[in-house]
Amino acid sequence: MTPSIPNKLPNVGTTIFTVMSALATQHNAINLGQGFPDFPMNPKLTSLVTEAMQANQNQYVHMCGLPLLRERLAEKVNESYQCNVHPDTDITITPGGTYAIYTAFTTILSPGDEVIVFEPAYDSYIPNIELNGGIAIRIPLQHPSYDIPWDLVRAKITPKTKAIIINSPHNPTGSVLTQNDINELTDIVDHSNIIIISDEVYEHLIFDDKAHLSILKYPALSARSFVCFSFGKVYHCTGWKMGYCIAPPTLMAAFRKVHQFNVFTCNSPMQHGIAAFLTEKNQYLELGKFLQQKRDYFQQLMQATPFVPLPSYGSYFQLYSYENISQQSELEFATALTEKAGVATIPVSAFYKTPTNNQVLRFCFAKKEETLEAAVERLRRSF
Ligand code: GLN
C-alpha cells in the first residue's frame, strides 16, 4: 500500500499553462496561451552552445555559475542600471527565473511570515510562499489600469511582513512600474526589515520608449532585494530554463546555501554559450522594439474582432476584454474559445487565489506574424 502524505498545496491543481497548452494540443488550437515564442532563436547562440559541448565543456561549472558568465552579467547590469553588482558575491546562475524566485522565498521565509503579493499574480508566487510556511497577503491591482494601491499596501504591513514581491513588466497585465511606484515602495520599506523580491524576467520587453525601472537602479531598494532574471525571455529559448538572481552579498550568501543543496549548479554548455553571446548588446537592446511591433501588429489585426485591448507596456502579453461577446467566466470562455474557435489563451482569473471575473483573457503575441494572422482569422470567423 502507498503511504498517505500531507497535502502541502491543498488548493492548487495543475498550473493553468499546462492545462491550456494540453487543451490547445487536444483541439489543434493555435496556442496564444502559455508565454513562449514560436519563432526561432538566434542560430549563433545555438552554435556557441554546440561548440562548448564539442569542446568538452560538459562538466559541472562553479556552484554559483560560470565565472565568465557572471562577469559579463555584472558588466551588463552595471551598465544598464548604473549599479555596482559584483560577480563573485552578488550573482547566482539559476535554472530559470521561477527557480530564482522560489529559492529567494525559501531563503527568507519562516512559518507564519507574511508576504505582500499583488493580484493578478504570476501563478507560482503564492504556492511558493505557502510551501515555505509563509502567508500570502493578497492586494488586488485595480482593473483595468492594474496600478498598485500603495495606501492599501501601507495598511497591510504588520510586524510579520517579511517581504513584498513585485513584477515589472507585469505578467499577465503588461503594466510597468513608474517612478512614483518606486518612490512609494522606497518610502514604505525605509527603516524596515522588509525584503523585496523583484521579478524582472521581462526587463527588455518594454515598449513605447518606457525605461525599465529595475530595482538595481535604486541603492536603497537593491540593498534589501533579490532581483530575478531570465535568459529564456531574452534569447527566445524559454525551454532552456536558464536565469539568474542578483542580491547584495549577505542575502546572496544565504540564497546560495539553499541553492547548493537543491540544484547545486546549472547546465555548463549553455552558460559558456550565453557568456560568449552576451557581448552582442543589440541582441537585448533591440528586443523591446521587436516585440512592440508584434504587439502593435496583433492589436491591429484584433480590430476586426469584438475583443477590446487593455494597454500593454511590456512583457509577451496583452489583455483583451470579451465583455462585448460573452458573460461567461474567464475559464469557461477561454475553454470554449480553445475548443470551438481553435485559439488558446489564459484566463486572468488563474492569477487570483479567489475567483474573479473581469472578462479579460491574456494573449501571448510573441509569435510569428503568420501565427497571429491565423489566430485572428479564426477569431474573426467565430464572432
Ligand atoms: N511564464 C510563462 C507564462 O506566463 C509560463 C511558464 C510556465 O509554463 N510555467 O506563460
Side-chain angles (χ1 to χ4, degrees):
M1 197 185 74
T2 308
S4 64
I5 53 171
N7 187 350
K8 291 202 167 179
L9 291 172
N11 304 316
V12 168
T14 303
T15 162
I16 191 70
F17 306 116
T18 301
V19 169
M20 293 310 292
S21 285
L23 200 65
T25 308
Q26 188 188 338
H27 294 276
N28 214 0
I30 298 173
N31 192 351
L32 304 188
Q34 195 177 26
F36 62 89
D38 71 343
F39 41 83
M41 61 180 294
N42 192 311
K44 188 156 176 198
L45 179 51
T46 44
S47 300
L48 287 165
V49 171
T50 309
E51 282 161 29
M53 279 193 234
Q54 287 168 343
N56 274 327
Q57 306 285 12
N58 297 309
Q59 308 311 326
Y60 299 127
V61 296
H62 190 284
M63 179 189 102
C64 307
L66 182 74
L68 179 66
L69 177 57
R70 285 185 280 135
E71 278 162 33
R72 297 248 159 103
L73 283 173
E75 282 165 23
K76 173 181 184 282
V77 295
N78 289 341
E79 187 178 333
S80 303
Y81 303 126
Q82 304 85 49
C83 48
N84 194 16
V85 164
H86 196 281
D88 292 338
T89 50
D90 306 0
I91 306 182
T92 297
I93 308 300
T94 62
T98 306
Y99 169 102
I101 294 164
Y102 185 87
T103 305
F105 278 130
T106 306
T107 303
I108 61 170
L109 289 181
S110 303
D113 284 347
E114 296 178 357
V115 180
I116 290 186
V117 183
F118 301 105
E119 285 189 321
Y122 185 62
D123 80 333
S124 68
Y125 298 164
I126 294 175
N128 283 184
I129 294 164
E130 292 178 348
L131 276 173
N132 284 296
I135 300 164
I137 305 298
R138 297 173 293 122
I139 296 183
L141 301 174
Q142 209 57 50
H143 168 82
S145 68
Y146 296 103
D147 292 334
I148 298 179
W150 290 108
D151 287 344
L152 200 50
V153 179
R154 280 192 180 81
K156 295 279 186 180
I157 302 272
T158 76
K160 288 191 166 168
T161 308
K162 189 53 158 245
I164 301 177
I165 178 159
I166 54 170
N167 170 214
S168 179
H170 186 254
N171 182 2
T173 68
S175 66
V176 298
L177 289 181
T178 63
Q179 188 60 49
N180 181 58
D181 292 321
I182 296 288
N183 297 347
E184 293 276 17
L185 181 61
T186 309
D187 184 57
I188 286 174
V189 298
D190 193 26
H191 300 301
S192 78
N193 274 325
I194 298 173
I195 302 279
I196 296 164
I197 297 182
S198 184
D199 175 353
E200 302 189 13
V201 298
Y202 298 105
E203 62 178 323
H204 295 298
L205 310 185
I206 185 156
F207 316 135
D208 305 326
D209 294 323
K210 290 190 184 293
H212 172 55
L213 301 187
S214 173
I215 289 303
L216 296 174
K217 286 176 94 138
Y218 306 96
L221 295 177
S222 64
R224 56 174 74 243
S225 299
F226 292 93
V227 189
C228 303
F229 296 96
S230 159
F231 293 115
K233 313 301 186 297
V234 179
Y235 294 127
H236 313 314
C237 52
T238 61
W240 283 15
K241 293 300 304 174
M242 293 288 291
Y244 54 104
C245 183
I246 297 183
T250 50
L251 296 185
M252 188 45 82
F255 179 102
R256 287 171 173 178
K257 277 196 185 182
V258 178
H259 169 76
Q260 67 184 341
F261 294 127
N262 194 355
V263 71
F264 176 62
T265 186
C266 302
N267 188 303
S268 320
M270 281 160 183
Q271 294 191 58
H272 283 276
I274 294 170
F277 202 53
L278 265 175
T279 54
E280 302 201 17
K281 294 186 192 172
N282 280 348
Q283 296 298 326
Y284 53 85
L285 294 178
E286 303 284 318
L287 213 51
K289 212 161 66 189
F290 174 68
L291 262 299
Q292 180 176 330
Q293 275 169 6
K294 295 201 175 287
R295 178 203 64 177
D296 292 347
Y297 187 58
F298 184 58
Q299 197 168 312
Q300 184 200 322
L301 294 170
M302 286 289 273
Q303 283 174 5
T305 75
F307 287 91
V308 178
L310 274 63
S312 164
Y313 303 109
S315 80
Y316 280 158
F317 311 113
Q318 183 150 20
L319 303 189
Y320 280 82
S321 164
Y322 60 87
E323 63 187 356
N324 297 334
I325 306 175
S326 167
Q327 294 303 312
Q328 282 178 302
S329 76
E330 292 172 5
L331 181 59
E332 282 163 351
F333 187 68
T335 305
L337 203 65
T338 311
E339 292 173 350
K340 301 209 176 83
V343 177
T345 59
I346 300 290
V348 176
S349 53
F351 297 82
Y352 291 83
K353 194 169 176 184
T354 48
T356 55
N357 188 15
N358 291 315
Q359 291 173 287
V360 280
L361 298 180
R362 190 194 81 172
F363 288 78
C364 173
F365 53 74
K367 304 290 174 187
K368 293 183 221 160
E369 289 197 348
E370 66 218 58
T371 309
L372 299 175
E373 287 160 9
V376 174
E377 182 54 23
R378 289 184 180 193
L379 297 176
R380 209 180 55 75
R381 284 204 196 146
S382 303
F383 303 106

